[in-house]
């Protein structure tokens, strides 16, 4: 933390010492506040280059949680893997009504040349990493004038190149999710049940023209970078997006995109790579108990068990995913949907074994007030398919309602109610009882968020 403060002081000192360096004069930047809502992918603007300029921003969020978990497990014995095992002292963890760990982000960037800027994202505090660590850093190129004046100017008028370590652009849902401390873009408090988010080393090329949206990307498929030789080095991740986004008139905007994400020999995947974790602390976690004579530890730990309330498909070796996102905004009323179909390896050793999981989400938000500073929202999401094992279907359903108030463009308060149910999950495995058996959790949450 101290190093971050020293860096900020150093940047301010540099600005004072060198008149050519300014603050906040950044090209093609998406606002981190209210003005950034529903701005997808990348954008082009007409901000003039006036020399090197530094961008310094941040975001902070804190939640008050009042949630409770339930399931259908009772004291007794349970058949598991052909044997009958006794268990005792099992129950889900009781959850207090209290505050969660606050999350904080920091952004340091700079306009380095006309059409060229750098961005460094930092998590100062997160559920999974309470210490400061770097989310990613990338170079964004909107002009090639640094090579030669007006080089491919007609092409670069519609083209953006992002290269470095950054957030993979898979689908549109990740633009409306909460990114650790930055909760301004999300009208709700959590993301989707299958919450896709991944950072890799790679490159994305965008070409957006006359409403048509396109992107092609490739990464090295690794969340944690290393040059060490392994028995199964990961293959590249291939990303693609194509769609249409148009403001048809003053009142109506329509957007529809389809996205592709594939890795043939995976190291990580989009549904287990979020380093911040779920907003629903401790839900569906159990206290220590005895199962078949063996001790099963309490799994409440908010760091080790960071994704409570979410679902990870647990693909092995490979995966393929498609996501389709319709978005319609008519005056203050907006609809956003997610249709996600995924498949991948079910076995770590046998590539012929596969399974599939699908997700369907729809939300409706009504924004009102002179500057649309107030909103009401409702979202329904379901994940279905082979959630536990091949050829056995189960499902998770979530209903969330929300109300929000932008006190300013950079300060947001939210109040939400959530109810999530688990259907057709097994009662136990060979090693433990299943916390999701007949499970559900519900309650309310309050969140306050600041971003600038």
């Amino acid at each position: 933390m101290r190093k971050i403060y020293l860096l900020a002081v150093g940047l301010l000192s540099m600005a004072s010492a060198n008149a050519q360096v300014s603050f906040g004069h950044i090209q093609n930047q998406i606002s981190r506040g209210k003005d950034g809502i529903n701005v997808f992918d990348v954008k082009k603007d007409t901000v003039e280059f006036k020399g090197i300029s530094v961008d310094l921003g941040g975001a902070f969020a804190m939640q008050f949680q009042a949630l409770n978990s339930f399931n259908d497990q009772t004291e007794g014995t349970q058949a598991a893997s052909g044997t009958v095992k006794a268990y005792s002292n099992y129950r889900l963890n009781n959850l207090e009504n209290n505050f969660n760990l606050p999350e904080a982000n920091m952004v340091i960037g700079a306009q380095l040349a006309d059409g060229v800027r750098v961005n460094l994202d930092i998590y100062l505090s997160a559920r999974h990493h309470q210490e400061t660590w770097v989310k990613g850093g990338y170079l964004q190129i909107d002009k090639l004038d640094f090579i030669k004046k007006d080089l491919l100017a007609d092409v670069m008028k519609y083209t953006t190149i992002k290269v470095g370590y950054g957030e993979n652009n898979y689908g549109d849902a990740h633009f409306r999710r909460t990114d650790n401390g930055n909760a301004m873009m999300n009208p709700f408090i959590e993301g989707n049940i299958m919450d896709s988010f991944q950072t890799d080393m790679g490159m994305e090329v965008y070409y957006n023209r006359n409403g048509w949206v396109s992107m092609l990307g490739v990464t090295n498929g690794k969340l944690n970078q290393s040059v060490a030789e392994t028995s199964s080095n990961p293959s590249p991740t291939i990303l693609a997006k194509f769609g249409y986004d148009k403001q048809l008139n003053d009142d109506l905007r329509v957007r529809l995109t389809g996205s592709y994400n594939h890795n043939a020999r995976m190291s990580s995947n989009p549904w287990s790579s979020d380093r911040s974790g779920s907003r629903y602390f401790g839900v569906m976690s159990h206290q220590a108990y005895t199962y078949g004579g063996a001790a099963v530890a309490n799994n409440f730990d908010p760091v080790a068990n960071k994704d409570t309330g979410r679902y990870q498909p647990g693909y092995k070796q490979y995966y393929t995913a498609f996501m389709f996102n319709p978005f319609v905004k008519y005056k203050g009323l907006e609809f956003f949907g997610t249709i996600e179909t995924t498949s991948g390896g079910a076995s770590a050793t046998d590539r012929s074994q596969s399974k599939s999981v699908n997700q369907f989400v729809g939300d409706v938000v009504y924004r009102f007030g002179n500057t649309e500073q107030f909103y009401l929202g409702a979202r329904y999401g379901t994940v279905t398919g082979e959630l536990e094992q091949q050829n056995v279907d189960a499902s998770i359903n979530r209903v969330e309602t929300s109300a929000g108030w932008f006190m300013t463009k950079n300060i947001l308060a939210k109040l939400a109610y959530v109810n999530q149910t688990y259907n057709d999950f097994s009662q136990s495995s060979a090693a433990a009882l299943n916390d999701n058996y007949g499970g559900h959790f519900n309650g309310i949450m309050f969140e306050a968020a600041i971003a600038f």
Side-chain angles (χ1 to χ4, degrees), residues 146-186:
F146 67 96
I147 299 176
K148 181 181 178 181
K149 179 66 175 176
D150 293 331
L151 177 64
L152 298 178
D154 292 339
V155 175
M156 294 306 296
K157 183 178 179 180
Y158 308 102
T159 302
T160 296
I161 302 168
K162 295 174 73 171
V163 59
Y165 188 85
E167 184 175 336
N168 295 358
N169 187 3
Y170 163 55
D172 286 349
H174 71 107
F175 292 105
R176 285 168 65 92
R177 73 186 291 277
T178 295
D179 182 19
N180 194 52
N182 192 345
M184 305 295 281
M185 310 309 163
N186 188 354

Side-chain angles (χ1 to χ4, degrees), residues 112-403:
L112 302 178
D114 192 8
V116 180
R117 65 182 179 88
V118 65
N119 197 82
L120 177 65
D121 295 318
I122 302 167
Y123 286 174
L124 299 177
S125 171
R127 173 176 175 177
H128 189 47
H129 285 269
Q130 283 107 28
E131 76 282 7
T132 298
W133 60 281
V134 175
K135 169 192 169 184
Y138 61 87
L139 195 69
Q140 178 169 320
I141 302 172
D142 288 283
K143 294 181 181 179
L144 298 177
D145 289 17
F146 67 96
I147 299 176
K148 181 181 178 181
K149 179 66 175 176
D150 293 331
L151 177 64
L152 298 178
D154 292 339
V155 175
M156 294 306 296
K157 183 178 179 180
Y158 308 102
T159 302
T160 296
I161 302 168
K162 295 174 73 171
V163 59
Y165 188 85
E167 184 175 336
N168 295 358
N169 187 3
Y170 163 55
D172 286 349
H174 71 107
F175 292 105
R176 285 168 65 92
R177 73 186 291 277
T178 295
D179 182 19
N180 194 52
N182 192 345
M184 305 295 281
M185 310 309 163
N186 188 354
F188 304 93
I189 290 183
E190 240 297 82
N192 290 339
I193 299 170
M194 279 176 58
D195 189 44
S196 58
F197 172 91
Q198 188 171 5
T199 53
D200 289 343
M201 185 70 70
M203 180 173 69
E204 296 174 346
V205 179
Y206 299 79
Y207 189 82
N208 299 337
R209 184 173 184 176
N210 297 330
W212 294 102
V213 177
S214 64
M215 185 278 298
L216 184 64
V218 60
T219 80
N220 68 347
K222 298 182 70 172
L223 177 66
N224 295 312
Q225 303 306 308
S226 172
V227 296
E229 182 182 12
T230 65
S231 59
S232 57
N233 286 314
S235 66
T237 295
I238 306 300
L239 302 163
K241 179 183 288 189
F242 183 75
Y244 186 75
D245 186 345
K246 194 74 170 180
Q247 188 76 42
L248 300 179
N249 55 50
D250 291 342
D251 296 329
L252 180 62
R253 176 186 174 189
V254 175
R255 177 182 171 95
L256 176 64
T257 63
S259 300
Y260 172 76
N261 189 334
H262 172 72
N263 192 294
R265 192 170 60 249
M266 56 182 277
S267 168
S268 61
N269 68 74
W271 310 281
S272 62
S273 300
D274 178 22
R275 296 299 186 89
S276 58
S278 163
R279 288 295 202 245
Y280 302 144
F281 278 57
V283 296
M284 307 311 298
S285 66
H286 60 253
Q287 289 205 338
Y289 66 97
T290 300
Y291 182 68
V296 180
N298 186 319
N299 67 343
F300 175 83
D301 191 323
V303 177
N305 192 14
K306 69 179 177 64
D307 291 316
T308 46
R310 294 178 181 173
Y311 173 77
Q312 301 174 8
Y315 291 131
K316 312 294 184 184
Q317 300 194 61
Y318 63 94
Y319 69 85
T320 299
F322 296 89
M323 183 184 291
F324 301 92
N325 297 111
F327 172 71
V328 179
K329 181 174 174 63
Y330 179 72
K331 295 185 177 180
L333 184 65
E334 61 188 49
F335 168 80
F336 182 83
T338 297
I339 302 170
E340 186 175 25
T341 64
T342 74
S343 61
S347 168
T349 57
D350 185 356
R351 289 185 66 89
S352 67
Q353 300 295 312
S354 65
K355 66 174 186 174
S356 62
V357 176
N358 301 319
Q359 176 170 232
F360 306 93
V361 188
D363 72 60
V364 177
V365 176
Y366 179 63
R367 303 183 188 273
F368 57 99
N370 293 334
T371 60
E372 295 189 351
Q373 70 270 34
F374 305 106
Y375 68 82
L376 298 172
R379 178 173 62 187
Y380 175 77
T382 181
V383 172
T384 63
E386 299 161 281
L387 305 190
E388 292 186 297
Q389 55 185 308
Q390 288 179 284
N391 305 316
V392 178
D393 286 345
S395 66
I396 306 172
N397 302 322
R398 179 189 293 169
V399 175
E400 186 175 1
T401 58
S402 180

Side-chain angles (χ1 to χ4, degrees), residues 15-163:
S16 301
N18 187 345
Q20 291 183 335
V21 177
S22 63
F23 269 86
H25 200 79
I26 308 295
Q27 297 175 323
N28 307 315
Q29 184 176 45
I30 298 174
S31 171
R32 290 182 284 271
K34 180 174 177 289
D35 291 340
I37 294 174
N38 298 328
V39 181
F40 302 95
D41 302 316
V42 295
K43 74 166 190 174
K44 296 278 192 176
D45 59 34
T46 57
V47 174
E48 183 182 357
F49 177 67
K50 296 183 177 180
I52 294 177
S53 186
V54 175
D55 175 37
L56 186 62
F60 174 81
M62 57 185 295
Q63 310 88 41
F64 182 87
Q65 176 175 307
L67 302 178
N68 287 297
S69 304
F70 312 88
N71 66 18
D72 289 342
Q73 299 286 8
T74 59
E75 288 291 319
T77 60
Q78 172 61 32
S81 302
T83 62
V84 175
K85 293 189 176 183
Y87 57 93
S88 59
N89 299 320
Y90 175 88
R91 69 174 177 87
L92 294 179
N93 282 303
N94 291 326
L95 304 178
E96 289 187 351
N97 299 340
N98 216 321
F99 288 94
N100 289 334
L101 173 76
E103 300 88 3
N105 296 7
M106 185 177 188
V107 177
I108 302 173
Q111 190 73 44
L112 302 178
D114 192 8
V116 180
R117 65 182 179 88
V118 65
N119 197 82
L120 177 65
D121 295 318
I122 302 167
Y123 286 174
L124 299 177
S125 171
R127 173 176 175 177
H128 189 47
H129 285 269
Q130 283 107 28
E131 76 282 7
T132 298
W133 60 281
V134 175
K135 169 192 169 184
Y138 61 87
L139 195 69
Q140 178 169 320
I141 302 172
D142 288 283
K143 294 181 181 179
L144 298 177
D145 289 17
F146 67 96
I147 299 176
K148 181 181 178 181
K149 179 66 175 176
D150 293 331
L151 177 64
L152 298 178
D154 292 339
V155 175
M156 294 306 296
K157 183 178 179 180
Y158 308 102
T159 302
T160 296
I161 302 168
K162 295 174 73 171
V163 59

